[in-house]
Amino acid sequence: MAVSAVDERPSGPETVGAATVVDDLLDLPRSERRQALEDLVVAEFKIVLLMDDGDELPLDESYFDLGLTSLTITDLKQSLESMIGHELSASLLFNSPTVGQLMDHICDELLPGLFRPASVSAPANGPASAAASRSVDHSADALVDEALKNLYQG
């Protein structure tokens, strides 16, 4: 499956799983991964916004200004979480509401191993170390999300 060929991606209950998306991104050269992921994320936004494939989705415009509501953003959040295999912070989606900011967060905070060169000190155990890295990233995200929830609810 070509990650950047969004039209070939199944929709509905058979939507591509996170492992497949991450695996497909790993198969690409590091320099092409962000654009491939961005293509998928933009496609999800276009589906929710009922946009055609040829329509341009501005990455720096608030998606609330484009017509998303809190209900549609919740649906989109679930779809994106399923795609990338990580929980997205609701506060991030509501406080930084552009596709560009969302992409920065996904690439820099949720999936940094896909987009940054491996650090020299990291063990090179292949898939096992990549899975461990994703697990550590996910637990750190969960702690941050929990702290934000406590901050906003308290």
Side-chain angles (χ1 to χ4, degrees):
M1 176 180 103
V3 175
S4 61
V6 175
D7 296 335
E8 297 175 13
R9 191 173 57 87
S11 60
E14 304 86 26
T15 301
V16 175
T20 303
V21 170
V22 170
D23 290 343
D24 287 346
L25 290 172
L26 286 170
D27 289 341
L28 294 173
R30 192 175 303 275
S31 62
E32 296 175 17
R33 292 177 187 169
R34 182 179 172 108
Q35 185 61 52
L37 181 61
E38 184 176 295
D39 291 345
L40 292 172
V41 170
V42 165
E44 291 296 323
F45 273 87
K46 284 183 174 183
I47 289 168
V48 172
L49 290 166
L50 304 174
M51 296 173 75
D52 292 329
D53 289 337
D55 292 338
E56 186 70 29
L57 179 71
L59 300 183
D60 59 348
E61 189 172 332
S62 168
Y63 33 76
F64 295 112
D65 291 343
L66 297 171
L68 284 180
T69 64
S70 53
L71 179 60
T72 55
I73 200 65
T74 301
D75 292 340
L76 183 62
K77 175 184 181 290
Q78 292 172 349
S79 177
L80 293 172
E81 287 173 340
S82 175
M83 180 193 313
I84 64 171
H86 287 275
E87 186 175 331
L88 291 168
S89 165
S91 62
L92 167 79
L93 291 171
F94 288 98
N95 296 335
S96 301
T98 70
V99 176
Q101 290 170 322
L102 176 62
M103 282 300 303
D104 289 344
H105 177 75
I106 292 171
C107 295
D108 297 340
E109 303 297 327
L110 298 181
L111 301 172
L114 286 175
F115 302 99
R116 292 188 209 142
S119 66
V120 177
S121 63
N125 294 339
S129 65
S133 173
R134 284 192 292 266
S135 174
V136 169
D137 289 343
H138 183 67
S139 64
D141 290 333
L143 289 172
V144 170
D145 284 345
E146 185 64 31
L148 286 172
K149 285 178 192 174
N150 291 336
L151 178 67
Y152 286 111
Q153 292 175 357

